[in-house]
Each structure stands twice: as C-alpha cells, then as structure tokens.
Amino acid sequence: MYRSKSLIVTNSAFAPGEKRLSICLRPNGFSFSELTASGVLLTFGEAEGEHSKAMTGVMADVKAFFNSVGIRPLGYGGMQLVVLSDESVWVPDELYSATSNRHYLKLVGGKALTALTAPCGSLASTAVFAADESLTMAFKVAFPGMKVINQHVRLASMGLEKRSAAHPVLLTYWRDHMIDYAAYRDGRYIFGNTIPYADDNEALFHTVEVMKSYGLENAGTELLMCGDVDRERFSLLRPYFPSVSLYTGAHTSYLNPEFKTLHTYRNALIL
C-alpha cells in the first residue's frame, strides 16, 4: 500500500491533452507531478510505502492511490515514468540491437538480469538500463500509454545545450550514495554517468575528477546541483567551481500559492 506523504493540488480545469503526468520511482514509493504544456505546475505529490512484490499488487496499489488523490489515467498529452537506475549505458542508434541489451550492460560492468530501453531522438542513441520490469510494467498497465525512461534520458533532455555554448555545464542529481552526472559543452550533451560515493568528501573528489577528466574545467564552468542537496553539501562543493547553483528543472509557474513552499530543486526530474 502507498500512503500520501505530501500533496499540493490546484483546482482548475484544463482541456484534455493539455496536461502531462510525470512520476519518479523511488525505493520506498514515488513522487509525481501534473503540469500544463505551458509549464504551469498543477499538482505535486509524494507517495511512500513498500512496492508489492507481485505486479498485480503494484497495479492495485497504484490505481488505489491515484484514485484517492483524484487523478485518473486519462486525458493526458504525455505521461512518463522516470526510473532511477544504477546501471545504464548509451548505445548509438546505428549500433543498437534489441537482442543485445543485457550484453550492453555487461560491457560496463552491469549485472542486471533485466534491461529496459528508452530511445533519445535528440542524441540519436538508446539508453539501456537496469530496472525492475514487473514494477515498471505495473505502472504502464495502470497508466496506458506511459513512457518509461531513466534519469539519464531525463537529464539529457533538460534543454541545457544552449546554456553550455558559452561555458561548460555539469548537472548533478544527488540521491542515496549515488550521483547522476550530465555534462554539456560547446552547445551539446557529451556524456552521462552514475558514480557511487561513501561520503560527501568522496563525492567532492568524484565531481572534481569528472570536471577535469571530461574537459569541463573552464573559468566559467557551471555546476548545477539537484536532488538530495542540503546546505552543507552545497557549501562543500562551492569553493571548487566558478559557479554553483541549485537546479530546479524546467521553468514552471503556478496558480496555487502553496507551491511557494515546494523545494523544486529536489524534484527536478519530474518538473
């Protein structure tokens, strides 16, 4: 069963197809948002609870939860489920073969038995990533037409290419002992990776090393931080980069003043 941890709702009517739904899976639940095509944030919520081990159990729990908060699986212009995967690799479309998904993950040290895929047209590549297939399938059945991607596809689609034309940009998404990196330089996305860390000092070392190893070191280099970022973590990295700021995802506006209390940088993957 899933319980509502937080919920902000805007009571405004919009035409079918005007809204999009975004969900981000977490080990102990998920977060979700509804936005309009013009970027108005209508709904934000967090659900907590253990995922059922059976696909039918997850389906029932998902349907019951969204029904309880007044969200129906109909009338959306787009729906996406973001999976936080620790094992992922980009494969250029000209080299990609659907029969080799597990092989691609093994080449980068992955050990997953199940591999999902998500094409990224802007990069002409396919992301192959480890995920719980029954869990993701349950959400797809509960919300017919939902697209499943991983965090690297989402981070590569943040529209930061133009921003990086003037100086390198390193986008970091922080979670439980993992950092997801997305690097932009010369007006294009150049790589994405996930690196584990034991403590914040090791996280600092990896982040500086990524900057130096991928040619991002520049007088104007910009570090963007989102996800599980607190004041201490932000302060630790700030002296090592010319510019450091919290990243809130795509620009949004709102009608409900309750959204003033929402730390959007923590939920950049669904905004």
Side-chain angles (χ1 to χ4, degrees):
M1 294 289 292
Y2 299 116
R3 303 170 297 279
S4 180
K5 182 180 177 182
S6 63
L7 181 65
I8 302 174
V9 177
T10 303
N11 294 317
S12 297
F14 287 86
E18 172 66 10
K19 298 187 298 182
R20 62 179 175 87
L21 175 68
S22 184
I23 302 174
C24 182
L25 276 180
R26 303 185 186 281
N28 60 341
F30 53 88
S31 55
F32 61 95
S33 68
E34 286 183 308
L35 292 101
T36 69
S38 59
V40 179
L41 181 57
L42 300 175
T43 304
F44 171 82
E46 294 175 293
E48 61 180 5
E50 292 187 10
H51 300 298
S52 173
K53 294 182 179 179
M55 189 177 80
T56 53
V58 176
M59 287 168 49
D61 290 345
V62 169
K63 289 180 178 180
F65 175 82
F66 280 104
N67 184 63
S68 73
V69 297
I71 292 180
R72 305 288 185 268
L74 299 171
Y76 287 103
M79 296 182 289
Q80 70 174 10
L81 178 68
V82 182
V83 178
L84 299 176
S85 176
D86 298 340
E87 298 178 4
S88 178
V89 64
W90 287 108
V91 182
D93 286 345
E94 63 267 24
L95 301 177
Y96 175 72
S97 170
T99 61
S100 301
N101 289 333
R102 286 176 59 187
H103 174 67
Y104 296 135
L105 286 180
K106 286 182 179 180
L107 289 175
V108 294
K111 300 178 181 179
L113 297 178
T114 302
L116 299 185
T117 62
C120 185
S122 61
L123 299 181
S125 298
T126 296
V128 181
F129 55 97
D132 185 326
E133 190 172 26
S134 63
L135 180 60
T136 56
M137 182 58 69
F139 276 82
K140 290 183 69 174
V141 173
F143 288 91
M146 175 166 279
K147 181 171 67 173
V148 179
I149 63 175
N150 73 339
Q151 74 274 27
H152 290 295
V153 175
R154 184 70 188 99
L155 293 173
S157 306
M158 292 295 196
L160 293 172
E161 292 86 355
K162 290 184 179 180
R163 192 163 173 170
S164 74
H167 55 258
V169 176
L170 182 59
L171 174 59
T172 56
Y173 181 81
W174 297 68
R175 48 196 178 95
D176 187 20
H177 294 290
M178 293 282 181
I179 305 175
D180 300 307
Y181 295 93
Y184 294 81
R185 190 185 65 206
D186 301 325
R188 60 191 179 92
Y189 172 91
I190 61 171
F191 88 98
N193 197 8
T194 297
I195 300 179
Y197 65 94
D199 54 39
D200 281 3
N201 287 324
E202 185 177 347
L204 169 62
F205 169 80
H206 288 315
T207 305
V208 172
E209 187 70 12
V210 166
M211 175 183 66
K212 293 182 176 180
S213 299
Y214 287 90
L216 305 175
E217 196 168 11
N218 182 289
T221 298
E222 185 176 13
L223 174 67
L224 301 177
M225 303 176 69
C226 59
D228 186 16
V229 182
D230 56 22
R231 187 182 300 273
E232 291 74 21
R233 185 166 284 168
F234 183 89
S235 299
L236 178 65
L237 275 83
R238 191 170 188 175
Y240 296 89
F241 291 83
S243 173
V244 180
S245 57
L246 295 174
Y247 182 66
T248 58
H251 176 72
T252 60
S253 58
Y254 52 82
L255 305 173
N256 187 340
E258 278 191 70
F259 281 113
K260 290 182 179 180
T261 65
L262 179 64
H263 296 301
T264 52
Y265 69 89
R266 293 188 176 274
N267 302 281
L269 293 184
I270 58 171
L271 298 177

